[in-house]
Amino acid sequence: EIVMTQSPATLSVSPGERATLSCRASQSVSRNLAWYQQKPGQAPRLLIYDASTRATGIPARFSGSGSGTEFTLTISSLQSEDFAVYYCQQYNNWSPVTFGGGTKVEIK
Amino acid sequence: QVQLQESGPGPVKPSQTLSLTCTVSGGSISSGSYYWSWIRQPAGKGLEWIGHIFSSGSTNYNPSLKSRVTISADTSKNQFSLDLTSVTAADTAVYYCARTAVGTLDYWGQGTLVTVSS
């Protein structure tokens, strides 16, 4: 099983500031990496796939980078609606598909 | 617009079988392009992939749950289902169904809370 590790667990950021979230894979997942946003009481929403491609309707302030075992999600200027939990997910190995433990982005 | 909706009978007693159904609208589960997945999330915790089914009927399960999980599909109703046997309190979670496109979960149901309790 590929273990996905996200850091930090909690990130305190002021509105308008930049947020940088990290995700590390225990072995290479190539660029088969997605990012999701989850708000309380809601299902996760796909933000980024193939490590750096924004999903339909996702604002340009969200960007993804990385390959192999190291990945980053950057939110360039945090808006109030961006405070949420973010998960990474690898789909290079489907047995099983695995998620990171999440990073909570909270208001500073 | 694809929409998914989970449904189930409610609380489940320990050792019994948890059964959920996902009804899909706005797209056919018979389409050869997608997998149809189940994911769960215990309260305050992260996401766990349970497994998925392809339009051909082939399935893939999380090895940690494989001995207890069955995912099936009813194309006439455009639904797919999850059966999880021998449940314990550790199976208490919000259960989501989702569409999988090339490995990514692009459409999700709203989720349904299943509580395992005697």
Side-chain angles (χ1 to χ4, degrees):
Chain A
E1 173 175 324
I2 298 177
V3 177
M4 307 300 293
T5 303
Q6 291 186 242
S7 61
T10 303
L11 186 60
S12 298
V13 186
S14 299
E17 289 188 340
R18 182 186 194 93
T20 303
L21 290 66
S22 295
C23 176
R24 174 177 293 177
S26 60
Q27 63 189 78
S28 176
V29 298
S30 186
R31 292 181 59 81
N32 296 311
L33 190 286
W35 291 93
Y36 299 85
Q37 176 194 67
Q38 187 178 34
K39 297 179 180 179
Q42 296 184 17
R45 175 175 70 145
L46 177 65
L47 297 176
I48 301 282
Y49 63 95
D50 293 349
S52 61
T53 303
R54 279 189 301 277
T56 302
I58 302 303
R61 63 180 182 274
F62 291 93
S63 63
S65 64
S67 65
T69 62
E70 300 283 343
F71 300 88
T72 300
L73 174 69
T74 301
I75 311 170
S76 60
S77 178
L78 272 159
Q79 307 297 303
S80 58
E81 62 266 29
D82 300 335
F83 292 96
V85 180
Y86 293 82
Y87 293 96
C88 62
Q89 174 230 337
Q90 69 80 21
Y91 49 96
N92 193 63
N93 181 339
W94 288 24
S95 291
V97 165
T98 48
F99 294 88
T103 291
K104 181 179 181 180
V105 177
E106 64 176 24
I107 300 174
K108 186 175 182 180
Chain B
Q1 177 82 344
V2 176
Q3 293 184 313
L4 299 93
Q5 177 68 58
E6 304 89 351
S7 60
V12 183
K13 289 182 167 49
S15 80
Q16 291 188 341
T17 297
L18 178 163
S19 294
L20 296 172
T21 296
C22 183
T23 301
V24 179
S25 58
S28 171
I29 66 169
S30 301
S31 164
S33 304
Y34 304 107
Y35 292 77
W36 302 91
S37 304
W38 288 98
I39 305 97
R40 68 181 183 179
Q41 185 174 38
K45 297 189 177 180
L47 300 161
E48 180 180 32
W49 178 78
I50 299 170
H52 62 217
I53 187 166
F54 192 52
S55 57
S56 65
S58 65
T59 54
N60 188 18
Y61 302 132
N62 191 321
S64 69
L65 297 168
K66 187 173 184 176
S67 63
R68 300 194 292 131
V69 171
T70 302
I71 297 175
S72 59
D74 184 340
T75 56
S76 67
K77 296 181 180 178
N78 217 34
Q79 296 175 333
F80 63 105
S81 298
L82 169 70
D83 287 326
L84 180 65
T85 62
S86 305
V87 297
T88 69
D91 295 309
T92 294
V94 174
Y95 285 75
Y96 295 101
C97 59
R99 189 182 81 169
T100 303
V102 200
T104 61
L105 301 145
D106 60 353
Y107 287 95
W108 295 64
Q110 65 185 26
T112 187
L113 174 63
V114 178
T115 302
V116 178
S117 174
S118 54

